[in-house]
Amino acid sequence: MIDWYFGAPRRALALICIACVAMLAFGMYLQHVVGLEPCPMCIVQRYALVLVAVFAGLASASSRRGLQVVGILLGLVMAVAGAYTAARQSWLQWHPPEVVSCGRDIYGMIETFPLQRALPMIFRGAGDCSQIDWTFLGLSIANWSFIAFTGFALLLLILLFRRGTQSGSVSKAA
């Protein structure tokens, strides 16, 4: 099973890309169907997830070893950044601050500020980063994000080391 995954780096990268897209789709479901407002840290994690998906997808599409290594490295950096943000949000959820200073209401931003100032504020998110709105198996979205980003980082790190220890030949994707 491990050889099936790590024996074909392009397949592994494609699976990471698919997992990231699935997580993004679930986040959109929680936002638009369930009605959960993403906080600024959630938005940062989404951007990190998008970039992990893009870098893993581009690396999986390339048969050139150098481009795969660059894609793996960039995906690894984004996965670590996402894990850091998710860990920080988890910490805020466990130790909420006395004064909430994480986000503001979207409608209030549009009514108060001109559009060129309101748009960037909207993409920062509007929820409270320390609030736990949804849980699964006792873990919040931030906790699950940390687990996912850490898993992606570990998989990318293993792929990077396996790519570095392989000879100059390019593995075929099955």
Side-chain angles (χ1 to χ4, degrees):
M1 179 70 179
I2 290 176
D3 284 339
W4 180 87
Y5 183 82
F6 292 113
R10 292 175 70 187
R11 180 188 307 142
L13 290 164
L15 289 173
I16 290 171
C17 178
I18 290 168
C20 289
V21 170
M23 286 179 63
L24 287 165
F26 185 67
M28 293 292 115
Y29 167 79
L30 288 176
Q31 180 178 354
H32 297 290
V33 176
V34 177
L36 300 180
E37 280 296 319
C39 71
M41 288 183 160
C42 294
I43 299 295
V44 169
Q45 290 170 58
R46 283 185 186 177
Y47 285 136
L49 205 54
V50 165
L51 290 172
V52 170
V54 166
F55 294 138
L58 291 174
S60 73
S62 175
S63 61
R64 294 179 47 198
R65 187 173 189 267
L67 290 177
Q68 287 178 0
V69 169
V70 168
I72 291 169
L73 277 172
L74 292 172
L76 178 62
V77 168
M78 289 297 101
V80 169
Y84 173 79
T85 306
R88 175 74 176 135
Q89 184 178 4
S90 294
W91 186 85
L92 281 173
Q93 290 175 346
W94 293 325
H95 308 285
E98 291 182 27
V99 177
V100 176
S101 62
C102 205
R104 20 165 81 149
D105 181 60
I106 291 177
Y107 300 110
M109 287 186 277
I110 292 173
E111 291 174 2
T112 308
F113 298 104
L115 190 58
Q116 64 266 23
R117 281 193 63 206
L119 280 177
M121 295 168 102
I122 291 169
F123 287 109
R124 286 189 208 127
D128 175 9
C129 295
S130 63
Q131 185 176 352
I132 298 174
D133 293 327
W134 183 89
T135 61
F136 180 69
L137 299 176
L139 298 176
S140 69
I141 297 170
N143 302 144
W144 285 111
S145 292
F146 176 76
I147 291 168
F149 278 120
T150 302
F152 293 146
L154 290 173
L155 291 172
L156 290 167
L157 197 59
I158 291 169
L159 283 172
L160 184 65
F161 282 119
R162 287 187 63 103
R163 295 299 295 158
T165 59
Q166 289 178 350
S167 62
S169 65
V170 175
S171 297
K172 293 181 182 178

